[in-house]
Amino acid sequence: MPEEIAPGVHRLATDYPHVCGLPLWLHVIDAGDELVLLDAGIASTPEAATGPELRKLGLDLADLTLVVNSHAHPDHMGGNAILKDHSGARLAAPALEAGWLEDNEALLAELWGSDPAALALDEGERADLLGMLGDRVRVDVLLRDGDLLPSGERPLRVITTSGHSPGHIAVLDERTRTLFGFDDVQGRGQPYLDSSVWLAPLYTDVERYVVGLNRLLELDFDALVPSHGEVLTADQGRRRISESLEWVDDVHELTVMLLRRRGSLTVRELAGAIGTELGDFGGLCLQTVRMARAHLELLARQGGAEPRWHHPG
Ligand SMILES: [Zn+2]
């Protein structure tokens, strides 16, 4: 039975643990005239999980009037097309990520394809990702920082945090002071359900990730709700935000240390080091590659590193 985590807010289970070995929760909010679903899951989620979960509450996919995507990662927007088909709900998502939300190829090329020497998808991985992404649909409502979601009388505030992705948003339910952080607050990573390996944090811009986390610290909230974990009290949430900031410092320290010691450093080398020395993250993966790139880019902006192109032959 879906748990009511705050008055009018139910937490819905998904099929993501079975598909990807990680927890993933969606949330449905009763906003009077509007029934709001926060995030869409992957393409299979609406029919495999969200529909059945809503029926336990006496609701149906067709009752949804607004679907919100926190950001353009497959587990947060893959279900859009199916949800739209079943409900006709308006789709609201960060304006900054409309390009990725409406074009799978752009997302694959720009997120997974940024550093081909460190990470290249094989055909099977590409097919798996496209399967989770599903068909793309046009975003109806483009969200900007400070907006209220078009959710009737229940004020749901949009806070642009970015960092984890270029336009990531958090949503604050002002009535219950429930803060939906989605993938904003990643601590030192997340253990897979069936393995000793952890999923590393992911951010594509260090400074924006830090600014976004600090913005969350400034908010008045009673609960912090992550997509991939349990609901946190205000104290637990603030601690986890602090841990997330400490992780960034640790990666930066490792980056500076390795660059000093070796004289030069590739994204691939740094990602491998992050993925083995700071935890058991399986070395090279999207998360470690994008963090490595983000920290090297920050050093370059600060004058602490000089980017070079090098002929591989
Ligand atoms: Zn994400």
Side-chain angles (χ1 to χ4, degrees):
M1 190 71 186
E3 187 186 338
E4 188 169 26
I5 60 165
V9 181
H10 282 88
R11 183 174 88 152
L12 310 181
T14 69
D15 58 338
Y16 201 60
H18 308 293
V19 179
C20 286
L22 286 165
L24 173 70
W25 303 100
L26 306 186
H27 297 85
V28 67
I29 302 180
D30 177 357
D33 289 347
E34 302 273 349
L35 188 65
V36 183
L37 181 67
L38 297 184
D39 273 347
I42 53 176
S44 54
T45 305
E47 284 168 350
T50 311
E53 286 283 276
L54 287 174
R55 283 195 282 282
K56 293 175 197 164
L57 298 170
L59 298 165
D60 192 85
L61 288 178
D63 297 324
L64 295 170
T65 60
L66 180 68
V67 174
V68 181
N69 296 148
S70 60
H71 63 298
H73 288 168
D75 47 331
H76 301 261
M77 51 81 142
N80 283 1
I82 310 273
L83 289 168
K84 189 83 176 174
D85 276 356
H86 279 273
S87 67
R90 285 161 300 155
L91 203 65
L96 266 168
E97 295 190 15
W100 284 3
L101 284 153
E102 295 178 357
D103 184 346
N104 287 339
E105 290 301 329
L107 176 66
L108 290 184
E110 291 168 20
L111 184 57
W112 276 270
S114 66
D115 297 273
L119 185 76
L121 295 174
D122 64 32
E123 279 310 308
E125 290 164 334
R126 232 185 104 76
D128 284 349
L129 279 168
L130 287 169
M132 288 194 277
L133 282 162
D135 294 333
R136 305 285 10 116
V137 281
R138 193 182 157 86
V139 178
D140 300 303
V141 183
L142 295 174
L143 301 173
R144 294 162 180 85
D145 185 48
D147 283 356
L148 286 174
L149 291 176
S151 52
E153 286 162 21
R154 186 162 185 148
L156 299 170
R157 178 81 55 188
V158 172
I159 300 126
T160 296
T161 48
S162 62
H164 172 73
S165 63
H168 190 293
I169 57 165
V171 171
L172 180 66
D173 175 23
E174 294 185 342
R175 190 180 290 173
T176 64
R177 301 207 305 182
T178 302
L179 177 60
F180 298 90
F182 303 102
D183 286 359
D184 263 330
V185 185
Q186 304 171 88
R188 306 187 69 85
Q190 165 97 36
Y192 280 96
L193 292 167
D194 52 359
S195 147
S196 62
V197 174
W198 283 46
L199 180 74
L202 168 61
Y203 44 86
T204 55
D205 186 295
V206 178
E207 286 167 310
R208 290 172 73 169
Y209 186 50
V210 167
V211 166
L213 289 168
N214 279 312
R215 285 199 75 188
L216 296 185
L217 275 180
E218 286 162 14
L219 295 172
D220 212 2
F221 60 86
D222 292 338
L224 175 64
V225 182
S227 293
H228 298 288
E230 294 303 312
V231 178
L232 304 172
T233 64
D235 283 350
Q236 290 169 333
R238 289 178 192 286
R239 262 205 304 283
R240 193 151 162 84
I241 295 171
S242 299
E243 279 169 23
S244 307
L245 290 164
E246 285 161 18
W247 164 268
V248 173
D249 290 341
D250 289 353
V251 177
H252 210 63
E253 208 172 285
L254 178 69
T255 306
V256 171
M257 190 268 285
L258 287 175
L259 192 60
R260 279 210 186 111
R261 190 198 287 167
R262 298 185 189 185
S264 74
L265 198 56
T266 64
V267 167
R268 183 185 174 89
E269 288 163 344
L270 179 56
I274 296 169
T276 51
E277 291 177 29
L278 294 181
D280 187 1
F281 302 113
L284 288 175
C285 58
L286 173 69
Q287 286 71 21
T288 56
V289 166
R290 292 311 306 245
M291 265 190 292
R293 185 185 177 89
H295 281 271
L296 289 169
E297 284 176 346
L298 174 60
L299 267 185
R301 289 204 290 267
Q302 294 172 334
E306 184 183 313
R308 286 193 188 185
W309 296 100
H310 164 75
H311 194 280

